[in-house]
Amino acid sequence: MLNKEEIGRRLAFYRKERGVTQKELADYLHISYQAVSKWELGKSLPTVEMFYEISNLLNITVDALLNENDWKNRCITYRESGLDSAKLYALKKDIMQLNSQDENIVSACYADACLFQMDTSGMREPVYSCVTCVPGSKERLAKEYGYNREVCADAAASAMNHTLQHGVRPAILKAIVICGNYDREQLYLMAQTYQKVCEENGVSFTGMEISAQPINYSPTEYEMSATVVGVQDREKLLTGERVREGDVLIGMKTEGIDGTNFPFVKILLDKNPELYRAKTDADRFFLDELMRANTAFTREIAALQEKGYLHKAFRIGNSLLNWKYWQGIPEGLGVCIDQAALPVLPLFRFLFEQDRIGENVFSHHFNMGIGMAVAVPEKHWEDAVSVISRFSQCWRIGQVERGGHKGIKVWSRGRIQW
């Protein structure tokens, strides 16, 4: 026999949970709201037909109202928070198929710890490197305008270059994305981008974990990062001890713009929204050029190390003249940048032409398309250029000097040839 009071209590519970008033339910059923009130007080019951109509409106089964076991087993699900966990884990399994098939990877199961081995044979004193990078302010434009793959490649390249500047070859990469109910196809494409960058640079890809948090992030929001681990023999680390007066500085070309430059660029865009649709030249849009991924210089650094030409590598971020990017220069020495030798790439010419940043300080705000610089012996600099040119465009941009600049690690001479 049906218990009217229990059924009435269940009906009131599901109605309130779905945000439906007694009057709205009554109007839907074409009855008075007093009739609904009597049901919920346990004084009467709906008809069989009405039970089915109520279940359709409240998106529940009839058993949820009538069956005592269903009521006692009710629970809160991830789906109620906006997350389809079944689809999420199906996506995670698909992404796992992108993992590198490397015998050194023992286990790489999305959220679990990544277990791996690293070849340290022949190393007398292995030193390990681990760095996590995010794309910074660049991420905002990526989300707004759909440059998701570019920003993933950017974070991966940045993490690799942080490792390479110490002479450590990156070995594995693990990525993570924290998001709301972000587009599943886009998430898969982001994972594919990480895999591609790893493949191009001889780095093992150990997956992209997705932490879906729809209660914390809107469907269009995400945050992401890339972690790279590497190892090198201590005696082969690039500490700066080999740097000598007269060493030549060679700058290697990168695409796009450093993430830490984006506050400046955002000001330009806010003051002139037309720039969102502007072109840097006849073929290239300004926004596309801004969002190009920075370059990872794994092949260039490895080739220079093999030749024995490399005294030091310097990852250049938002400015060629920022002293923090020239760490490792021995006491008493500094780097002199020849601004007349710097390339004037279309993106930076376009930025300069907006006439918001003065000529004398422009290179204090931008790297002019130099993503990494290396110090090599003067007698080998032309050979070093030949080695780098197999992979990247490069320029002689200055040299290591002594004297006249006490306590200063970087200075410049000449003017950019606009």
Side-chain angles (χ1 to χ4, degrees):
M1 184 174 178
L2 296 176
N3 186 319
K4 294 179 184 178
E5 290 184 0
E6 284 297 321
I7 292 172
R9 186 159 68 93
R10 295 169 200 165
L11 174 58
F13 173 84
Y14 287 119
R15 176 183 61 75
K16 292 174 184 177
E17 189 179 58
R18 300 301 190 265
V20 177
T21 66
Q22 286 187 341
K23 185 176 186 309
E24 287 170 337
L25 178 57
D27 290 345
Y28 179 78
L29 297 172
H30 304 293
I31 60 173
S32 68
Y33 76 88
Q34 291 91 342
V36 174
S37 178
K38 287 182 179 180
W39 296 342
E40 294 185 355
L41 291 172
K43 294 180 178 180
S44 62
L45 289 173
T47 65
V48 173
E49 291 79 8
M50 285 184 177
F51 271 122
Y52 282 103
E53 291 185 65
I54 291 168
S55 67
N56 285 334
L57 175 65
L58 302 182
N59 194 27
I60 57 175
T61 64
V62 173
D63 279 347
L65 294 171
L66 303 182
N67 190 295
E68 185 177 1
N69 286 333
D70 279 25
W71 173 253
K72 290 182 176 179
N73 290 327
R74 73 193 186 282
C75 63
I76 297 174
T77 66
Y78 278 116
R79 190 182 290 273
E80 290 176 73
S81 73
L83 176 65
D84 190 330
S85 57
K87 286 185 177 179
L88 175 62
Y89 284 106
L91 173 63
K92 289 186 178 188
K93 287 183 178 179
D94 288 342
I95 288 175
M96 274 186 63
Q97 303 307 308
L98 299 174
N99 289 1
S100 300
Q101 300 304 305
D102 188 329
E103 61 182 12
N104 290 323
I105 299 174
V106 179
S107 175
C109 181
Y110 35 91
D112 197 7
C114 176
L115 307 179
F116 58 93
Q117 298 174 311
M118 298 178 72
D119 183 10
T120 59
S121 59
M123 294 186 188
R124 296 173 55 190
E125 198 175 354
V127 175
Y128 299 87
S129 166
C130 179
V131 63
T132 298
C133 287
V134 298
S137 304
K138 203 169 185 175
E139 193 173 68
R140 176 175 173 178
L141 282 179
K143 286 181 282 193
E144 289 182 5
Y145 293 93
Y147 292 93
N148 302 319
R149 286 178 285 186
E150 289 82 356
V151 81
C152 288
D154 200 83
S158 181
M160 292 178 191
N161 289 339
H162 270 85
T163 303
L164 289 164
Q165 68 179 337
H166 299 289
V168 178
R169 185 174 180 84
I172 69 164
L173 180 146
K174 177 84 172 185
I176 184 169
V177 175
I178 307 171
C179 60
N181 268 325
Y182 203 69
D183 184 88
R184 299 302 187 260
E185 181 181 350
Q186 286 299 312
L187 287 168
Y188 187 79
L189 289 174
M190 290 164 79
Q192 281 185 315
T193 300
Y194 280 120
Q195 180 203 38
K196 181 180 178 182
V197 175
C198 286
E199 192 174 87
E200 291 172 347
N201 288 278
V203 175
S204 295
F205 177 53
T206 58
M208 184 183 85
E209 164 60 356
I210 302 168
S211 176
Q213 301 177 19
I215 63 170
N216 294 326
Y217 294 84
S218 76
T220 60
E221 289 182 322
Y222 65 77
E223 295 178 17
M224 43 81 64
S225 65
T227 298
V228 164
V229 174
V231 64
Q232 182 58 282
D233 201 342
R234 186 169 190 144
E235 66 182 15
K236 294 182 179 178
L237 293 178
L238 298 176
T239 62
E241 293 177 356
R242 300 187 187 96
V243 175
R244 298 288 182 267
E245 181 182 2
D247 280 357
V248 171
L249 301 172
I250 301 172
M252 296 183 281
K253 179 186 176 184
T254 190
E255 299 290 349
I257 201 168
D258 191 77
T260 53
N261 283 131
F262 270 75
F264 302 119
V265 173
K266 185 64 169 60
I267 292 171
L268 290 177
L269 292 168
D270 288 345
K271 291 183 180 296
N272 185 5
E274 290 298 315
L275 293 179
Y276 282 104
R277 296 180 294 276
K279 287 186 173 183
T280 56
D281 57 29
D283 302 316
R284 291 176 281 197
F285 283 94
F286 175 52
L287 201 56
D288 287 343
E289 293 302 298
L290 278 179
M291 296 306 298
R292 288 188 187 278
N294 282 304
T295 305
F297 298 100
T298 307
R299 296 172 297 178
E300 294 85 342
I301 296 300
L304 289 172
Q305 285 178 310
E306 185 178 342
K307 288 286 189 179
Y309 296 157
L310 190 57
H311 281 178
K312 187 71 177 78
F314 307 92
R315 185 195 68 84
I316 308 299
N318 60 5
S319 166
L320 270 173
L321 299 178
N322 189 329
W323 64 269
K324 71 179 182 180
Y325 298 123
W326 300 95
Q327 297 297 306
I329 298 293
E331 192 66 32
L333 298 179
V335 297
C336 178
I337 303 300
D338 179 4
Q339 297 202 93
L342 296 178
V344 181
L345 303 177
L347 171 60
F348 296 96
R349 183 184 298 278
F350 182 85
L351 283 167
F352 178 71
E353 288 171 351
Q354 302 315 304
D355 202 24
R356 292 284 178 180
I357 299 175
E359 179 180 359
N360 291 339
V361 296
F362 195 89
S363 54
H364 289 268
H365 287 285
F366 296 100
N367 63 18
M368 301 303 294
I370 305 297
M372 183 168 280
V374 292
V376 301
E378 186 174 21
K379 65 180 179 180
H380 294 307
W381 82 267
E382 291 178 316
D383 290 337
V385 166
S386 297
V387 169
I388 296 169
S389 296
R390 301 206 310 262
F391 312 104
S392 299
Q393 195 170 357
C394 64
W395 303 267
R396 176 172 176 162
I397 62 169
Q399 66 183 40
V400 176
E401 295 184 356
R402 180 184 299 276
H405 300 276
K406 186 176 181 180
I408 299 175
K409 287 296 181 183
V410 57
W411 56 90
S412 67
R413 64 167 56 97
R415 299 176 61 183
I416 300 172
Q417 301 301 300
W418 297 108

